[in-house]
Amino acid sequence: MFRHAQLESVKAWIGDPAHAALPLHARIQRAIRQLILDGAINVGRPLPASRALARSLAVSRDTVEAAYGQLHAEGFIERRVGSGSFVSERVRQRRAGARRTPAYATPSPGLSRRGAMLFHNGGVRDFLAPRAFAPGLPETRHFPLQTWERLQRQVLKEHGTRALLHSPPQGVETLRSAIADYVNLERGARATADRVLVLTSSQQALALCAHVLLDAGDRVLIEDPAYHGARRAFDAAGLECVPIPVDADGMCVQRLHDAAPDARAVFLTPSHQFPTGATLALDRRLAVIEWAHRHDAWIIEDDYDSEFHYAGKPTACVQGLDPHERTIYVGTFTKSLFPGLRIGYMVLPPALVEPMTVARTLLDGHSAPVPQLTLARFIEGGHFGAHVRAMRTLYGERRDLLARLVHQHLGHHLQPRVPAGGMQMPCILTCGLSEARAVHAARHAGIDLLGLGGLHAASASEAGFLMGFAAHAPDELEAAVRGLAGVLRALQR
């Protein structure tokens, strides 16, 4: 029979949510297989009788028999009529081979230096499901799906099988025109359809900027703290990121001249700084434009969620203030509509349109035509504006509710910093807990938190979290806050 620790290990493996998609017999089989590979069950040792193990795990005997049958087929166990099941002698050979590999040696698929850097950099982890408090996720349950379906049917009826072909790599002209009109009206940009490049995401836009505008070893100035996806895109391109502190008025642009005189670009989130929520003051916007002009450098402006500003209209974008054509404006519909749409865009200086479009053809060629054509009609028909206005009201209410709930239930642990806009709220840890431990414990409790500490490079960081509120109804927010309060109390014991 299994020892208590072995049985508990099997139960833990079966109950792990990460394995929930596997059939029950497969979970049992893989849990026992791991015990064998780890040496927790020695070669020649008997396994519990299927009936006894089924009783211990509260499953049917057939389920255990299926697991044992698969282990036997893979050579991990031997089944002897009248005697039971035993760990196979073949396992000894597998373990011997494993011991010949040094413990520190990670199996390598022969990656290049760039590939290894991409891999060890960790990429950008998207929050795939709207678990509390995943930042940057919109409320999709209120999306006007019937309107979208109707417009998509119109597209298919009008374009027929032509909509199934490639689209131009720069993007469908009607969508580029709709985007230009929108950013000109709502963001104070200076855009025309021929300056818009349609992409799959703002992350793709950042990767293009890193590879097309800069060479490996070049310096790029970034906010500190900064959006981790931008820093990793620049790191992956071999760039040197030079952090510039952020205060209540955004990036301290007066430090640009001394930080890295030879820097080739600066990355900004001026409308709603990520993660602090600060807005870059007008005098600083003008100063960074002058810096870029004087140094022949580029401004990469990420305007990721400026639609959601809760006190008046957001400040006009930097691109619209720049008379020197040194600003690349990056936008996305992932936050304003839904993540599955996969449409972002750049508004480019005229000289960069062709180089960026050609470079894009080497990545994914083009964006799918049907969503582009549908989105163009959605914008032109006024549906986009109406949806954004409705979500702005909804998100504002949820922001205020989250602030109240944090004060009420987490006041001994967190201090919220209520943002003027956006879809997430920075909350500072005030109880001395480890940020990393809290994030880890919360994740195991079904709560997603983005730690603030990891977003800082050089400046002193306050421990805390970025807590998304947009995707969660009031009852969901309250339940999640109470759950997080329990997690933090448990860590303090």
Side-chain angles (χ1 to χ4, degrees):
M1 192 63 187
F2 280 162
R3 296 193 302 271
H4 176 73
Q6 295 168 342
L7 183 62
E8 290 303 309
S9 177
V10 173
K11 289 180 177 179
W13 215 99
I14 294 172
D16 191 332
H19 308 142
L22 292 172
L24 184 55
H25 75 274
R27 281 181 267 168
I28 295 171
Q29 176 254 332
R30 295 191 187 187
I32 297 173
R33 183 179 67 184
Q34 196 60 51
L35 287 173
I36 294 172
L37 289 172
D38 290 343
I41 309 175
N42 290 328
V43 171
R45 295 292 297 173
L47 268 63
S50 58
R51 190 187 304 277
L53 183 57
R55 189 166 49 250
S56 298
L57 297 177
V59 301
S60 72
R61 185 183 180 188
D62 288 345
T63 299
V64 175
E65 281 291 336
Y68 278 7
Q70 185 62 30
L71 287 167
H72 176 64
E74 293 179 358
F76 284 94
I77 67 173
E78 298 171 359
R79 310 201 75 178
R80 305 169 190 167
V81 178
S83 299
S85 301
F86 300 82
V87 178
S88 172
E89 181 68 27
R90 298 179 187 177
V91 175
R92 194 187 306 276
Q93 299 169 1
R94 297 191 186 208
R95 290 179 185 165
R99 282 195 294 270
R100 284 194 293 269
T101 302
Y104 56 82
T106 301
S108 171
L111 299 178
S112 66
R113 286 192 297 272
R114 183 184 299 108
M117 182 167 57
L118 284 168
F119 175 64
H120 292 297
N121 204 15
V124 178
R125 186 173 78 92
D126 283 326
F127 294 96
L128 301 182
R131 304 200 315 175
F133 295 94
L137 284 177
E139 173 60 88
T140 56
R141 292 167 293 189
H142 289 240
F143 182 75
L145 195 57
Q146 291 182 332
T147 300
W148 185 269
E149 290 174 337
R150 174 172 56 81
L151 296 176
Q152 184 168 278
R153 286 196 300 271
Q154 292 176 6
V155 165
L156 292 171
K157 183 176 181 180
E158 178 179 333
H159 294 271
T161 56
R162 288 181 290 117
L164 308 181
L165 302 174
H166 288 80
S167 74
Q170 191 177 343
V172 172
E173 196 279 334
T174 53
L175 177 57
R176 291 189 283 112
S177 180
I179 290 172
D181 291 344
Y182 168 73
V183 296
N184 288 342
L185 177 64
E186 297 293 335
R187 302 297 301 114
R190 293 185 299 113
T192 55
D194 59 348
R195 295 177 60 175
V196 174
L197 173 60
V198 177
L199 301 166
T200 57
S201 64
S202 57
Q203 193 65 39
Q204 186 182 45
L206 296 176
L208 276 171
C209 288
H211 286 89
V212 176
L213 304 180
L214 304 161
D215 290 314
D218 281 350
R219 291 182 168 187
V220 56
L221 303 168
I222 63 169
E223 300 162 324
D224 191 21
Y227 170 54
H228 50 294
R231 181 185 295 144
R232 290 177 181 176
F234 300 149
D235 286 343
L239 309 181
E240 181 184 347
C241 293
V242 180
I244 305 295
V246 169
D247 63 19
D249 290 323
M251 177 185 273
C252 300
V253 299
Q254 67 272 17
R255 301 201 186 186
L256 294 181
H257 303 281
D258 300 328
D262 58 343
R264 300 288 302 117
V266 58
F267 171 77
L268 296 168
T269 51
S271 297
H272 181 225
Q273 201 277 328
F274 187 96
T276 66
T279 297
L280 190 65
L282 177 60
D283 60 328
R284 297 189 182 187
R285 292 173 185 243
L286 298 176
V288 77
I289 289 170
E290 184 58 30
W291 173 86
H293 174 57
R294 194 160 46 228
H295 289 78
D296 199 26
W298 298 105
I299 300 169
I300 303 170
E301 178 181 12
D302 186 1
D303 203 26
Y304 62 101
D305 70 355
S306 64
E307 291 88 358
F308 305 117
H309 200 81
Y310 308 120
K313 295 195 70 172
T315 309
C317 65
V318 171
Q319 191 268 355
L321 300 172
D322 181 6
H324 310 299
E325 304 286 9
R326 304 301 303 176
T327 303
I328 297 97
Y329 178 90
V330 178
T332 179
F333 293 98
T334 294
K335 307 285 190 295
S336 54
L337 293 179
F338 54 94
L341 182 58
R342 306 314 300 152
I343 294 182
Y345 59 91
M346 289 194 287
V347 179
L348 296 163
L352 292 182
V353 173
E354 189 171 1
M356 286 285 194
T357 303
V358 170
R360 188 270 169 91
T361 65
L362 296 172
L363 298 179
D364 59 355
H366 69 106
S367 296
V370 174
Q372 288 187 74
L373 292 165
T374 305
L375 177 57
R377 292 185 179 225
F378 194 76
I379 298 172
E380 292 166 349
H383 309 294
F384 177 69
H387 179 66
V388 166
R389 288 191 294 274
M391 292 302 99
R392 187 183 298 135
T393 300
L394 185 71
Y395 295 171
E397 293 170 352
R398 292 181 177 182
R399 175 202 62 167
D400 295 342
L401 174 61
L402 178 59
R404 290 197 300 272
L405 289 170
V406 169
H407 279 300
Q408 181 180 351
H409 299 287
L410 291 165
H412 296 299
H413 303 96
L414 293 175
Q415 177 62 44
R417 291 184 176 169
V418 183
M423 304 163 71
Q424 52 268 327
M425 181 182 299
C427 292
I428 307 304
L429 267 171
T430 58
C431 58
L433 283 174
S434 160
E435 177 187 296
R437 283 187 65 211
V439 169
H440 180 75
R443 187 169 299 145
H444 277 275
I447 298 170
D448 284 323
L449 299 171
L450 181 62
L452 294 175
L455 304 178
H456 288 258
S459 59
S461 63
E462 293 179 294
F465 319 119
L466 203 58
M467 299 174 66
F469 52 78
H472 311 296
D475 60 321
E476 295 167 340
L477 284 174
E478 182 168 2
V481 167
R482 289 179 181 273
L484 180 58
V487 168
L488 298 183
R489 281 196 302 269
L491 287 176
Q492 281 193 311
R493 292 189 188 124

